[in-house]
Amino acid sequence: GQGGFLIECAQKGYSAQGLEINPEKIEMAHKKAKAAAVHLDITQGIAEKIPFSDSEFDFLNASELIEHVEDPNHVLKEMARVLRPGGKAYVSVHNRFGFRDSHFKIRGLNWMPRRLGERYLSLLGKHKEYHDRSGRQRISKMHYYTWNGFRNIALRYGFKVEDMREQYAYKRGGKIGCMAYRYIIRPWCFNTFHSLLEKY
């Protein structure tokens, strides 16, 4: 991204490394860091081939990432490789059946087959400038998941998976609130899942 998380890490005294595919965003991040009077260490690369050693990190932040990559499975495999045992990762995951799409800001788009969704965007004149280098993609090229679909992939690569909102639902509503969250609110209401992965 544009370095916001890295800048906060630097300000709090953490040692952090950034990985970004777009050189323009790396330049933006360095400009922001200069304004904040901190130094950032950012490598240009892709998440399917993380250029760091095995078990190098305690924590990974993959916010607004997984839907944009070429191969989410390989990204999760690489994340498992570079995390130490017991290390954690935050991964935001876009809901395949969320009521309002987060990228195109259109209600009901995610409930459509992707081919129909592309036509719907054309009808509404809501397509983006896909040819630029800002990371914009067609809806048919992005990776959205159900909660169980994403959880199953993460489990395959040796992660324990926690829905960060589920504990809150339990605290607020007990078992009934948790059940309502799991079977009504999570599948249909939220556009994004907030997952915390822990490497076994």
Side-chain angles (χ1 to χ4, degrees), residues 60-196:
L60 299 174
N61 178 33
S63 176
E64 302 299 314
L65 168 76
I66 208 76
E67 72 271 22
H68 295 295
V69 300
E70 290 290 330
D71 187 343
N73 284 35
H74 208 84
V75 170
L76 286 167
K77 183 179 179 181
E78 278 289 273
M79 289 173 70
R81 180 183 66 79
V82 301
L83 272 175
R84 66 167 176 81
K88 295 184 179 182
Y90 167 74
V91 184
S92 62
V93 182
H94 283 271
N95 183 1
R96 180 62 178 85
F97 297 110
F99 182 61
R100 183 174 183 267
D101 179 75
S102 299
H103 293 94
F104 292 89
K105 315 299 183 191
I106 296 174
R107 293 177 177 84
L109 177 64
N110 292 330
W111 295 355
M112 301 178 186
R114 286 313 194 203
R115 186 174 294 180
L116 180 59
E118 292 279 8
R119 292 178 180 174
Y120 187 50
L121 289 170
S122 296
L123 181 67
L124 297 177
K126 292 290 187 177
H127 283 294
K128 299 183 179 183
E129 295 294 328
Y130 302 119
H131 62 277
D132 72 12
R133 301 178 66 181
S134 63
R136 297 187 181 103
Q137 292 165 285
R138 291 186 175 276
I139 190 73
S140 58
K141 298 292 185 183
M142 288 192 279
H143 307 280
Y144 288 25
Y145 294 93
T146 62
W147 171 254
N148 285 335
F150 173 76
R151 181 176 175 273
N152 288 339
I153 295 171
L155 289 172
R156 187 186 311 157
Y157 293 107
F159 288 111
K160 175 184 173 184
V161 187
E162 177 187 342
D163 179 343
M164 296 172 73
R165 287 194 182 105
E166 190 169 319
Q167 290 299 319
Y168 179 75
Y170 183 79
K171 287 178 184 176
R172 292 293 299 270
K175 290 183 179 179
I176 293 174
C178 193
M179 294 289 283
Y181 173 76
R182 284 182 182 177
Y183 298 108
I184 300 172
I185 299 170
R186 179 168 64 195
W188 309 110
C189 299
F190 286 120
N191 300 317
T192 307
F193 307 125
H194 297 282
S195 68
L196 186 66

